[in-house]
Amino acid sequence: MVVLSLTVALLIPATTAHAQSGSASDLINAVNQLRQSLGLDAYVVDSYLMSFAQSHSDYMASLGQWTHTRADGTTSNDYGIKENVAMGNNMSVQHTVNSIWSDYIHWQTMTAYASGKVGAGVATVNGVVYYTLNVLPGDTAIKQPSTDSSGVGAQAGETEPSSLLVAAQQVITATPNADGSVIHTVRYGETLWVISEAYEVPIDQILTNSGLSLGTTLVNEGQELIIIPPADPTATPTITNTPTPITPTPTLPRPTMTPFPTRTPMPTPTPTSPPSALHKALSDGKSFGLGLILTSGLGLITVIYLGFIKKR
């Protein structure tokens, strides 16, 4: 009945174009929004279930068809996990949740449990998207399937997570190279999700570093992914020898020739007449005084002589 329901639901969208497909996180968010609209608690994202779902989406993409049977022959029921799958050309998350999975069986996976853990996987090949939704109801544990003689999985008691999930989680991380880059070679069973979890690097960052489209979900065994790109080399400053400036030797000033003094022509003496005796006498005060005294004395003597002595 489950197979018939899935067949009817998936044959139509497989040939019908819808809006662009979404990511695993978009699928989980759409389911939790549906649960919250019904008053239910949101499912808790679980790393094991994420790996479980993504590996199955990758497997369906490699086959080019939807299926509940995994590469090892087991199904989700063998692990006690509820599962919805879908495929379609560029089929959107909202169309998948609200239309493809709107029948009773798929609706139960999304809304029948009060709580639980959830994981989702998305793979796209040639425009066809493959969705997987895995739910572990309540507090139940994942079962470890056993195999019968035919190698087909058979349900067993509850034990630790399956060897498939454990192997997916045990990613052997690569050692950083000398330039600081980290390049991971994809091994069998590894998905982008578990690689991202192992290195703690977002999936989109790994895709960008590796030159892959952000919509890429499928990786192949042996493919190299650049987890951390080479570090930009720090430029070593080049030491430039700055030439020591040459201190100019001070130039001694040339001795300035002291000009010879220009001979100022002396005025030509104008010959003058020698002063008269009277001028000389008058120009010398002392001589003049003595002369005056002598003259006066002689005059006085003359007067006395002529006036008194000669008369007698």
Side-chain angles (χ1 to χ4, degrees), residues 213-264:
S213 171
L214 294 182
T216 302
T217 56
L218 181 64
V219 290
N220 302 314
E221 183 180 2
Q223 182 177 353
E224 290 188 345
L225 300 175
I226 301 175
I227 308 301
I228 300 176
D232 293 332
T234 304
T236 303
T238 303
I239 300 175
T240 305
N241 294 325
T242 304
T244 304
I246 301 174
T247 305
T249 304
T251 305
L252 296 176
R254 293 181 180 182
T256 306
M257 298 292 292
T258 304
F260 292 102
T262 304
R263 299 182 65 180
T264 306

Side-chain angles (χ1 to χ4, degrees), residues 13-25:
T15 57
T16 305
H18 298 280
Q20 187 176 4
S21 61
S23 64
S25 297

Side-chain angles (χ1 to χ4, degrees), residues 125-151:
V125 176
N126 297 327
V128 179
V129 59
Y130 301 82
Y131 289 113
T132 301
L133 178 72
N134 287 135
V135 173
L136 189 64
D139 297 327
T140 59
I142 297 176
K143 299 176 181 179
Q144 175 65 43
S146 60
T147 56
D148 56 20
S149 58
S150 63

Side-chain angles (χ1 to χ4, degrees), residues 52 68 72-81 142-146 152-157:
F52 192 78
H68 283 289
D72 61 356
T74 63
T75 66
S76 62
N77 288 331
D78 295 333
Y79 299 89
I81 298 172
I142 297 176
K143 299 176 181 179
Q144 175 65 43
S146 60
V152 178
Q155 182 171 326

Side-chain angles (χ1 to χ4, degrees), residues 75-151:
T75 66
S76 62
N77 288 331
D78 295 333
Y79 299 89
I81 298 172
K82 307 302 179 182
E83 183 175 83
N84 287 357
V85 297
M87 63 174 285
N89 186 28
N90 291 325
M91 189 166 59
S92 70
V93 165
Q94 292 298 331
H95 179 76
T96 301
V97 172
N98 299 317
S99 297
I100 302 302
W101 292 342
S102 62
D103 61 283
Y104 175 80
I105 295 177
H106 294 93
W107 198 259
Q108 288 289 99
T109 302
M110 298 185 292
T111 64
Y113 312 106
S115 63
K117 299 176 183 178
V118 68
V122 180
T124 304
V125 176
N126 297 327
V128 179
V129 59
Y130 301 82
Y131 289 113
T132 301
L133 178 72
N134 287 135
V135 173
L136 189 64
D139 297 327
T140 59
I142 297 176
K143 299 176 181 179
Q144 175 65 43
S146 60
T147 56
D148 56 20
S149 58
S150 63

Side-chain angles (χ1 to χ4, degrees), residues 4 33 45 59 71 95 104 106 114 142 169 179 195 198 215 229 231 248 311:
L4 179 60
Q33 288 174 4
V45 177
Y59 177 64
H95 179 76
Y104 175 80
H106 294 93
I142 297 176
Q169 291 298 315
D179 59 1
I195 294 172
K311 288 179 177 182

